[in-house]
């Protein structure tokens, strides 16, 4: 197991991680992704965010067994993406409740 991801439940090798990241880059270039970003709201906090400033987040991170599929990718503001890091949805929700007293918006 790669020490970089040792606290996580899935033993993914570097080849698998690279393949998932490649899929994410390919999806980022699609009209589907552009339409998702055009809505202009962060999936987690609901903040109005210009489409070009949206970042792609894996709801279940690749390092935690998530895949680069349409159902696992959401547009988020840079601040939420940076704070979420590699947390699972329930960990992220707990983190937000602790920090802000509010759960994520999930528009």
């Amino acid at each position: 197991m790669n020490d970089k991801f040792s606290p996580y439940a899935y033993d993914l090798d570097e080849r698998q991680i690279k393949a998932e990241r490649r899929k994410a880059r390919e999806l980022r270039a699609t009209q589907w992704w552009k339409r998702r970003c055009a809505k202009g709201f962060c999936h987690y906090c609901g903040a109005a965010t210009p489409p070009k400033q949206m970042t792609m987040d894996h709801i279940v991170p690749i390092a935690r067994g998530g895949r680069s599929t349409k159902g696992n990718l959401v547009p988020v503001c840079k601040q939420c993406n940076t704070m979420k890091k590699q947390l699972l949805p329930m960990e992220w929700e707990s983190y937000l409740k602790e920090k802000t007293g509010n759960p994520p918006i999930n528009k």
Side-chain angles (χ1 to χ4, degrees):
M1 189 163 167
N2 186 336
D3 287 335
K4 182 177 169 183
F5 299 113
S6 60
Y8 304 117
Y10 291 90
D11 187 12
L12 299 174
D13 65 32
E14 200 62 35
R15 180 185 53 80
Q16 292 168 306
I17 292 170
K18 285 182 181 181
E20 289 303 321
R21 288 183 179 153
R22 185 183 69 251
K23 287 181 208 172
R25 280 191 302 275
E26 290 168 1
L27 281 169
R28 198 176 289 124
T30 65
Q31 286 303 310
W32 167 80
W33 180 251
K34 292 172 185 174
R35 282 192 303 272
R36 295 286 313 262
C37 291
K39 293 176 184 176
F41 293 98
C42 174
H43 178 79
Y44 296 124
C45 71
T49 306
K52 291 202 182 267
Q53 292 180 14
M54 289 283 192
T55 62
M56 179 181 278
D57 182 59
H58 288 78
I59 295 171
V60 176
I62 293 170
R64 304 288 292 268
R67 298 288 181 238
S68 296
T69 61
K70 290 180 180 180
N72 192 42
L73 296 170
V74 292
V76 299
C77 67
K78 179 70 174 164
Q79 183 178 358
C80 282
N81 206 349
T82 301
M83 287 189 316
K84 181 178 173 278
K85 298 181 184 177
Q86 295 183 355
L87 298 177
L88 291 171
M90 59 280 226
E91 294 167 338
W92 174 238
E93 189 172 319
S94 294
Y95 172 82
L96 285 180
K97 283 180 183 176
E98 252 181 50
K99 288 287 187 186
T100 67
N102 299 315
I105 303 265
N106 295 331
K107 284 198 175 226

